[in-house]
Amino acid sequence: AAQVKQRASEWAELCGRDPRSALLLVLGACLELSGLPGGALVEADLEQEPQAFIRELPQWVKDQALETSQYPLLPSAKQGRRTVSNFERFWTAGLGLLAPRDLLQSR
């Protein structure tokens, strides 16, 4: 739990300094939590519309020969419940640490 809070604090601080890097970091982390390996999202993906990334994602998963029959966030598994809990802790702590100015500018 302390590690999750620390990562959330680092992310919130990065939001104030470099929102683009913070966005890439947090979206990449979300994809990793869903079972995709690091690198599924790269900075160039932020240049295009989100729909293009979503359209290309199934083919990327096939090209990487990823196992898609298991979902790491499945709440019926013990590890899935822990991952979901950490995911919720991250967002609660991270958003709570953001300055109101950063939240308003993040539109």
Side-chain angles (χ1 to χ4, degrees), residues 54-96:
I54 298 299
R55 261 193 322 272
E56 296 165 5
L57 190 57
Q59 186 58 48
W60 185 87
V61 168
K62 285 181 185 176
D63 293 345
Q64 300 295 315
L66 298 176
E67 173 60 49
T68 59
S69 65
Q70 295 187 356
Y71 182 57
L73 296 175
L74 191 63
S76 64
K78 183 178 181 181
Q79 183 62 37
R81 287 190 299 274
R82 184 178 306 127
T83 301
V84 168
S85 177
N86 285 335
F87 186 74
E88 291 171 349
R89 281 187 187 121
F90 173 87
W91 283 110
T92 300
L95 292 175

Side-chain angles (χ1 to χ4, degrees), residues 2-18:
Q3 194 175 28
V4 172
K5 191 170 185 177
Q6 175 64 32
R7 295 286 300 268
S9 177
E10 292 168 1
W11 173 76
E13 190 269 328
L14 183 60
C15 283
R17 284 187 295 111
D18 187 356

Side-chain angles (χ1 to χ4, degrees), residues 16-51:
R17 284 187 295 111
D18 187 356
R20 184 177 179 85
S21 292
L23 176 65
L24 184 62
L25 177 76
V26 80
L27 289 176
C30 288
L31 290 173
E32 284 184 49
L33 282 173
S34 71
L36 297 178
L41 180 72
V42 295
E43 191 165 349
D45 293 323
L46 297 180
E47 300 296 327
Q48 62 184 348
E49 292 295 319
Q51 295 88 342

